[in-house]
Amino acid sequence: MKVYADHAATTRMSEAAKQAMLNAMDTVWGNPSSLYTVGQEAKTALEEAREKMAALLGGAAREYIFTAGGSEADNQALIGAALLGAKKGKKHIISTKFEHHAVLHTLKKLEKEGFEVTLLDVHENGVVTADEVKKAIREDTALVSVMYVNNEIGTVQPIREIGAVCREKGVIFHTDAVQAVGHIPVNVEEDNIDLLSLSAHKFNGPKGVGALYMRRGIRLKPLIEGGAQENGRRAGTENVPGILGMVAALEQAVENMEENNQKILPMRDTLIEGLSAIPYSKLNGDREKRAPGTVNFCFEGIEGESLLLLLDFAGISASSGSACTSGSLDPSHVLLSLGLPHEVAHGSLRLSIDTENTPEQMAYVVEQVNNAVTRLRAMSPVWEQLEKGERRHLFAE
Ligand SMILES: *Cc1c(COP(=O)(O)O)cnc(C)c1O
């Protein structure tokens, strides 16, 4: 059986997205900045796509710029807001310990340039509270950036409450909503968001396309300099087919969200129940405050990488931690942020599912993980020590 269970890394493109792209390549291949008809047809298609984004996620069309994905949107949001703050003498930024590297590495860079960064704790349940954000805000805080849904463990943050706190304090609020958009209800106005990053390939759209929502009045210095595209906010000829593909995927994801999640949730629960039954295993992150499709487990005495290899032999595509860090031997910064010790932060399994998965596949995954864990534990020196009582168990049986 073949099972793709890594939808948090990327998704297959939907038929609607593919058709929209093919159609765009045939019909609106002009340069949207050109003044003649062929260009203006592309411009019209682009602006219709922007209108649809706003209709689906809130705000006004002109508050969205298109980017080359989630990482660019995060970089633009953080660097732009930091520079805006610095102009007013505000050089303090608040974020969390378990953000995506597109945020954390950008913050590191800003730190080197003289900004002070406070990274909030996310606790054992993988959720930061609005109250903690409120307490961390200072007179010189320029920006708060908290992700909507964590990409490794799937926990959902109280974005609306955090947004309300930031608005009350007059601090710009950015959220990396790459794992939320298209999966759970997101509305930039209702959620009190000033800046929001999204990426098409996480909701069955094409790779290399995304968007940044920027609330009116927040004028960020462009990350990419050049032409006057996107109202002077992001230079470069727009990726019209990609953008139309993204919007087609988003339209479908938002319209079918409830129906999709009704299908995904029971499958996710099968995974949680099945994997929790494995002795000395642990579900990472809050059981309830989580996105529909993502679960993350640790198994004592197991290396995540070996588990992934055995699952791959069994036809299952899964991941340990984020796609960007698997392959490296560093423990996951997300699992460390939950307070898990290094030895288990190496040994996690992320399964992220979608409507293309089936209940039969879930039963197969549980069976195969069970087999793999049993096999690996039989060869594991750490497990032997645990069995002999020479080492203490970290999780309950
Ligand atoms: C995938 C991802 C990104 C990066 O998006 P790209 O489009 O791949 O650059 C950023 N943040 C989160 C939470 C993600 O899951």
Side-chain angles (χ1 to χ4, degrees):
M1 194 183 269
K2 284 258 177 281
V3 184
Y4 182 76
D6 203 13
H7 291 88
T10 197
T11 58
R12 190 195 300 268
M13 266 179 69
S14 69
E15 273 314 308
K18 267 191 279 184
Q19 286 311 319
M21 288 186 80
L22 286 172
N23 189 41
M25 287 183 230
D26 280 339
T27 60
V28 285
W29 49 269
N31 187 326
S33 300
S34 301
L35 293 178
Y36 41 77
T37 308
V38 174
Q40 287 309 296
E41 282 167 358
K43 174 83 178 164
T44 302
L46 184 68
E47 294 316 318
E48 279 172 11
R50 210 186 304 276
E51 291 287 346
K52 277 189 193 159
M53 293 279 304
L56 294 167
L57 299 175
R62 64 179 179 283
E63 294 175 310
Y64 288 85
I65 61 165
F66 295 114
T67 65
S71 300
E72 184 193 321
D74 282 341
N75 275 256
Q76 169 70 80
L78 299 179
I79 293 171
L83 291 177
L84 217 53
K87 273 198 216 160
K88 298 180 196 151
K90 296 182 174 186
K91 299 193 81 174
H92 177 232
I93 301 169
I94 299 167
S95 188
T96 74
K97 287 182 182 166
F98 76 163
E99 297 294 313
H100 190 271
H101 283 140
V103 168
L104 285 180
H105 290 175
T106 305
L107 291 176
K108 268 266 165 295
K109 183 165 123 173
L110 288 168
E111 250 179 349
K112 285 196 189 115
E113 287 168 14
F115 290 87
E116 192 188 332
V117 177
T118 302
L119 295 181
L120 297 174
D121 200 0
V122 294
H123 313 287
E124 200 198 336
N125 67 350
V127 181
V128 67
T129 68
D131 201 44
E132 287 164 320
V133 172
K134 190 171 187 170
K135 284 189 182 127
I137 292 177
R138 316 190 310 212
E139 281 298 308
D140 64 340
T141 303
L143 169 71
V144 169
S145 177
V146 176
M147 73 197 314
Y148 214 127
V149 170
N150 180 271
N151 50 301
E152 284 191 34
I153 58 171
T155 49
V156 181
Q157 307 304 309
I159 291 304
R160 190 168 297 188
E161 291 74 28
I162 295 172
V165 161
C166 292
R167 200 143 291 176
E168 182 198 320
K169 298 268 187 184
V171 177
I172 293 179
F173 176 47
H174 167 253
T175 184
D176 173 340
V178 172
Q179 294 284 344
V181 168
H183 300 282
I184 59 171
V186 171
N187 184 296
V188 291
E189 286 160 324
E190 289 166 12
D191 293 344
N192 306 310
I193 293 163
D194 296 320
L195 302 168
L196 174 143
S197 309
L198 63 94
S199 174
H201 77 103
K202 304 289 173 74
F203 53 80
N204 304 97
K207 294 174 194 22
V209 194
L212 175 63
Y213 165 81
M214 300 189 265
R215 203 162 70 84
R216 70 194 149 277
I218 301 178
R219 190 85 193 168
L220 306 181
K221 184 177 178 304
L223 188 66
I224 298 179
E225 301 285 356
Q229 291 90 353
E230 300 291 278
N231 254 326
R233 294 171 297 175
R234 198 272 187 186
T237 304
E238 296 88 345
N239 174 3
V240 178
I243 290 164
L244 298 197
M246 167 166 72
V247 172
L250 184 61
E251 216 167 5
Q252 234 185 8
V254 171
E255 272 166 21
N256 303 333
M257 189 179 290
E258 257 188 62
E259 196 187 320
N260 288 347
N261 287 342
Q262 272 172 24
K263 199 174 159 210
I264 295 168
L265 283 168
M267 292 196 282
R268 179 192 80 183
D269 291 340
T270 304
L271 290 178
I272 293 182
E273 278 155 34
L275 300 181
S276 299
I278 296 175
Y280 304 107
S281 66
K282 182 180 192 292
L283 172 70
N284 292 313
D286 198 275
R287 171 73 181 79
E288 304 305 327
K289 293 175 187 153
R290 61 174 52 251
T294 304
V295 300
N296 186 308
F297 270 85
C298 281
F299 305 97
E300 272 190 76
I302 301 276
E303 278 283 339
E305 311 283 314
S306 353
L307 181 56
L308 292 188
L309 275 178
L310 287 187
L311 292 180
D312 190 27
F313 287 138
I316 299 168
S317 312
S319 131
S320 81
S322 65
C324 337
T325 45
S326 54
S328 80
L329 283 174
D330 288 341
S332 148
H333 71 285
V334 173
L335 298 180
L336 292 178
S337 77
L338 305 183
L340 287 168
H342 279 250
E343 63 218 79
V344 281
H346 272 298
S348 81
L349 171 69
R350 177 182 75 181
L351 296 162
S352 44
I353 56 170
D354 199 349
T355 49
E356 71 167 20
N357 295 111
T358 63
E360 292 70 37
Q361 289 183 341
M362 297 305 105
Y364 178 72
V365 168
V366 169
E367 177 195 304
Q368 291 302 316
V369 173
N370 230 314
N371 291 349
V373 167
T374 308
R375 248 180 90 183
L376 292 171
R377 279 180 175 167
M379 313 187 288
S380 156
V382 171
W383 185 252
E384 199 184 331
Q385 290 173 344
L386 287 164
E387 290 275 86
K388 286 184 181 158
E390 292 166 9
R391 186 190 267 266
R392 268 177 5 130
H393 279 290
L394 297 163
F395 309 146
E397 185 171 352

